[in-house]
Amino acid sequence: MAIILWAGGLQLGLHAQQVAKLSPKVMAVVNAPPVDLKDDDAPLLRLKKERFNAALNEAKARFDLYNRGLTRIPELIAVGERLFGAEVDLYDKPEEKAQVLQRQLDVYNEAEANLEMQVRKGLATQADLERLRYNRLSVEIDLFNNKNVHDEHGSVAQPSPK
């Protein structure tokens, strides 16, 4: 019994030692401060701010778990998706949304390059990388749609997938 516990602890220790490092832009997101709640916030805006702060707090907690080897990259990607979605929803003006989406795209691009290196080193899976790519492409689509929402030329018919 003691050997099994020791072996399990050794595996956990090895996993914690081999945690893939996150990119600087991802770390900046994790270390961001919460959004201030104001007394004069409209009820819907207050709810959106509270939701963003909850996602940010979850991201911070999951990052701590990740550093201790108690959670994996897919959980970080999922909380990032929720956090970024909540952040975009804080803004109403297309220009503001475009700025947030562009920053998010920059984070995803850096994170994707970093995760590609981690996959090559065997510290992350191809499935994790593809999930991150999916999220990056979703942000690119949102950014494209946002930039072209008022553009008459943005309504060009798109070919349907086969």
Side-chain angles (χ1 to χ4, degrees):
M1 178 75 167
I3 292 174
I4 293 172
L5 290 174
W6 178 80
L10 179 63
Q11 285 179 329
L12 182 59
L14 289 174
H15 176 72
Q17 290 174 3
Q18 293 189 352
V19 168
K21 291 189 178 191
L22 302 179
S23 69
K25 288 185 181 186
V26 170
M27 292 307 305
V29 170
V30 170
N31 292 323
V35 174
D36 290 330
L37 300 173
K38 299 177 183 169
D39 292 337
D40 62 342
D41 283 341
L44 181 58
L45 178 59
R46 185 173 191 83
L47 289 170
K48 288 178 178 184
K49 286 181 174 183
E50 288 176 351
R51 179 178 62 178
F52 172 82
N53 288 342
L56 181 61
N57 290 334
E58 181 192 0
K60 291 173 187 288
R62 293 223 181 263
F63 177 70
D64 178 60
L65 291 171
Y66 178 76
N67 278 337
R68 294 188 289 149
L70 299 175
T71 195
R72 300 179 56 228
I73 290 174
E75 286 82 11
L76 295 178
I77 294 171
V79 73
E81 185 177 0
R82 287 189 295 280
L83 178 63
F84 281 170
E87 182 183 28
V88 168
D89 204 29
L90 290 172
Y91 301 95
D92 293 325
K93 295 179 183 174
E95 305 83 31
E96 293 172 332
K97 284 185 185 258
Q99 289 176 350
V100 172
L101 288 167
Q102 184 59 59
R103 187 183 53 74
Q104 291 175 358
L105 182 57
D106 293 343
V107 171
Y108 272 122
N109 283 331
E110 184 181 275
E112 185 176 346
N114 185 55
L115 195 54
E116 285 173 345
M117 278 193 309
Q118 301 304 326
V119 169
R120 285 193 298 273
K121 292 178 183 178
L123 298 175
T125 68
Q126 187 67 36
D128 296 340
L129 180 58
E130 296 305 327
R131 172 70 183 266
L132 190 69
R133 282 184 178 144
Y134 174 89
N135 289 350
R136 176 194 39 89
L137 291 165
S138 294
V139 169
E140 283 190 50
I141 290 167
D142 291 345
L143 184 58
F144 180 86
N145 287 336
N146 182 279
K147 285 182 177 180
N148 291 305
V149 72
H150 297 294
D151 184 6
E152 296 169 359
H153 301 292
S155 62
V156 176
Q158 298 294 315
S160 61
K162 296 183 181 194

